[in-house]
Amino acid sequence: MALILGIDPGSRKTGFGIINVNGSHHDYVTSGVIRLPIEQELPERIKVLVSSIQEIIALHCPQQVSIEQVFMASNAGSALKLGQARGAAIAACVSNDLEVAEYSARQIKQAVVGTGAAKKEQVQHMVKILLKLPAMPQEDAADALAAAICHAHTSASLVNLAGVSRIRRGRLR
Amino acid sequence: MALILGIDPGSRKTGFGIINVNGSHHDYVTSGVIRLPIEQELPERIKVLVSSIQEIIALHCPQQVSIEQVFMASNAGSALKLGQARGAAIAACVSNDLEVAEYSARQIKQAVVGTGAAKKEQVQHMVKILLKLPAMPQEDAADALAAAICHAHTSASLVNLAGVSRIRRGRLR
């Protein structure tokens, strides 16, 4: 058994989702969206993001983190904002000694929908099916859960979860 | 007396500098450059950045942080990388309950050199003069010290340092 935290960072909203992986079986644990106070200055927004992620980690004790790799942004301004949120989210995880794996949007879509060119709604739909959810998860939460599922599907990461990360965390789950 | 930590974030090198402010008097405390392991993946690089900043904070106990505000980047790719480093640096500070103030490059140059259009070398030169350093500080360290000096010059922040932040930190320095 291993808990994987998926994160879908954004400068306004950051999705998160945790799944429990037991062999080829995945169970939904929790998911949601952290809304940043956009009327406030950046340090305050980052504080909300970091403390929210730290709360989620303290509450659920995930062993690994999966986050979408970003290569493109429409312009330099939005890339900077997205980068700031992404860097802060990763900082919150690594300061809790969590390993963070990065996957491209294409890899995540491929793992969840079976095609790297899938649309947002297809990802939401397949996340609902794969995790047997009663309703469609919110878009950012679905992307975060999809990142977690993608990490679970990566065999190398599962070998890792079975060995290294357990020792790193100093306890068995 | 108040200790101000200035940070000049970058995706390869992050400069830092601490000054001690006593009324209109500034003393140099420390400065340097955190070099990120560029051959490693982003989460590892962020881990080095965050743990280095946390060590600096633990060692010197600054009360406020000053960081350059970035608006422009040459392209979306470099903006994303810079944003990630900047977001992680701010995350490291706010998770230590430090207040972070942002200043534009223009404000910082204006405070240190007297003109918002100053060149890098002029900033280095004036930081050396203002802090009575025996030699020219490294470029990124000079920019970080300049951000700290800019924050010290802002009267509002000094009022803040004299009152609010002391109480927030729960002790007198």
Side-chain angles (χ1 to χ4, degrees):
Chain A
M1 295 227 303
L3 290 167
I4 301 173
L5 165 62
I7 297 178
D8 178 43
S11 57
R12 291 162 169 265
K13 292 181 293 178
T14 287
F16 67 92
I18 296 181
I19 61 169
N20 192 356
V21 181
N22 197 350
S24 62
H25 198 79
H26 311 154
D27 288 313
Y28 173 86
V29 177
T30 188
S31 69
V33 179
I34 303 161
R35 281 166 213 282
L36 306 190
I38 50 168
E39 72 287 357
Q40 291 190 37
E41 297 292 325
L42 178 73
E44 288 305 313
R45 299 201 298 274
I46 286 185
K47 193 164 188 170
V48 168
L49 179 58
V50 168
S51 59
S52 303
I53 291 175
Q54 285 178 333
E55 260 177 51
I56 293 160
I57 292 171
L59 195 60
H60 297 282
C61 303
Q63 288 131 304
Q64 293 216 350
V65 180
S66 178
I67 192 165
E68 193 177 306
Q69 209 163 28
V70 184
F71 285 114
M72 294 187 305
S74 51
N75 61 62
S78 60
L80 183 77
K81 284 179 188 165
L82 175 59
Q84 287 171 163
R86 196 167 186 269
I90 295 174
C93 297
V94 297
S95 48
N96 277 280
D97 277 334
L98 286 172
E99 284 178 30
V100 179
E102 298 181 289
Y103 296 96
S104 68
R106 206 172 175 80
Q107 284 175 298
I108 294 173
K109 287 173 179 173
Q110 178 72 40
V112 176
V113 184
T115 163
K119 289 186 179 161
K120 282 258 177 202
E121 302 78 47
Q122 287 176 286
V123 172
Q124 276 175 291
H125 177 73
M126 283 309 297
V127 164
K128 175 176 177 285
I129 303 283
L130 289 170
L131 298 176
K132 301 174 191 68
L133 301 178
M136 200 87 116
Q138 190 272 358
E139 195 179 298
D140 304 284
D143 283 347
L145 288 165
I149 293 168
C150 173
H151 187 56
H153 283 189
T154 307
S155 56
S157 69
L158 283 177
V159 172
N160 210 5
L161 280 171
V164 182
S165 77
R166 276 197 194 165
I167 295 160
R168 278 183 59 123
R169 298 279 295 176
R171 62 187 164 136
L172 290 169
R173 284 195 68 92
Chain B
M1 293 224 305
L3 289 168
I4 301 172
L5 165 62
I7 297 179
D8 177 44
S11 58
R12 290 162 171 266
K13 292 181 294 178
T14 286
F16 67 91
I18 297 181
I19 62 170
N20 192 357
V21 180
N22 198 349
S24 62
H25 199 79
H26 312 154
D27 287 311
Y28 173 86
V29 176
T30 188
S31 70
V33 179
I34 303 162
R35 281 166 212 280
L36 306 191
I38 50 169
E39 71 287 357
Q40 290 190 39
E41 298 292 324
L42 178 74
E44 289 304 314
R45 298 202 297 274
I46 285 184
K47 192 164 189 171
V48 169
L49 179 57
V50 168
S51 60
S52 302
I53 291 176
Q54 284 178 334
E55 261 178 49
I56 293 160
I57 292 171
L59 194 62
H60 296 284
C61 303
Q63 288 130 306
Q64 293 217 352
V65 180
S66 177
I67 193 166
E68 192 177 306
Q69 210 163 25
V70 183
F71 285 113
M72 294 188 304
S74 51
N75 61 62
S78 59
L80 183 77
K81 285 180 188 165
L82 174 59
Q84 287 171 161
R86 196 166 187 270
I90 294 174
C93 297
V94 296
S95 48
N96 277 281
D97 278 334
L98 287 172
E99 284 179 30
V100 179
E102 298 181 288
Y103 296 96
S104 68
R106 212 176 166 76
Q107 283 175 298
I108 294 173
K109 287 173 179 174
Q110 178 72 44
V112 175
V113 184
T115 163
K119 290 187 180 160
K120 282 258 178 201
E121 302 76 50
Q122 287 177 286
V123 173
Q124 275 175 291
H125 177 73
M126 283 311 295
V127 165
K128 176 176 177 284
I129 303 283
L130 289 169
L131 298 176
K132 302 174 191 68
L133 301 178
M136 200 88 114
Q138 189 274 354
E139 194 178 299
D140 305 284
D143 283 346
L145 288 164
I149 293 168
C150 174
H151 187 55
H153 284 190
T154 308
S155 57
S157 69
L158 282 177
V159 171
N160 210 6
L161 280 171
V164 183
S165 75
R166 276 194 195 171
I167 296 161
R168 275 180 64 122
R169 299 278 295 177
R171 62 189 163 132
L172 289 169
R173 283 194 69 91

